[in-house]
Amino acid sequence: MKSTRFNVVVQKEANWYVAKCVDNSVASQGKTIEEALSNLKEALELYYEDESPYELPVPALLTSVEVAV
C-alpha cells in the first residue's frame, strides 16, 4: 500500500476543530485537533480506497506570504 501526504488546514469553529484537505476539499471535524486530523485521515482513506496509487494527486506546495495591510 502506497502512502502520500496531503496539505491540511485546521480551523477552530465554535466547539469543533475542522480539518480540511486543501488538495481535494475532503473535510472532517473533531473536539480536538488530534481527533479532527484522525477523522480526516479516515475520510481520505475512504475517499481514495478505490484509486490506483498512480492516480493519487501530487500534493501542491503550500506556503504563506507576508503582506502589509
Side-chain angles (χ1 to χ4, degrees):
M1 177 183 300
K2 180 181 175 183
S3 65
T4 189
R5 292 188 174 270
F6 293 95
N7 296 303
V8 175
V9 174
V10 179
Q11 293 178 298
K12 176 87 167 151
E13 294 185 11
N15 297 327
W16 294 91
Y17 287 94
V18 177
K20 182 177 180 183
C21 180
V22 176
D23 303 307
N24 58 22
S25 299
V26 173
S28 195
Q29 64 185 17
K31 291 283 187 181
T32 65
I33 292 172
E34 293 79 14
E35 183 180 15
L37 290 172
S38 177
N39 291 342
L40 178 62
K41 182 179 176 182
E42 181 180 357
L44 287 167
E45 288 170 349
L46 291 170
Y47 185 81
Y48 287 110
E49 71 181 346
D50 293 329
E51 296 290 324
S52 162
Y54 302 103
E55 296 173 356
L56 292 174
V58 176
L61 170 64
L62 184 63
T63 189
S64 61
V65 296
E66 186 172 332
V67 178
V69 292

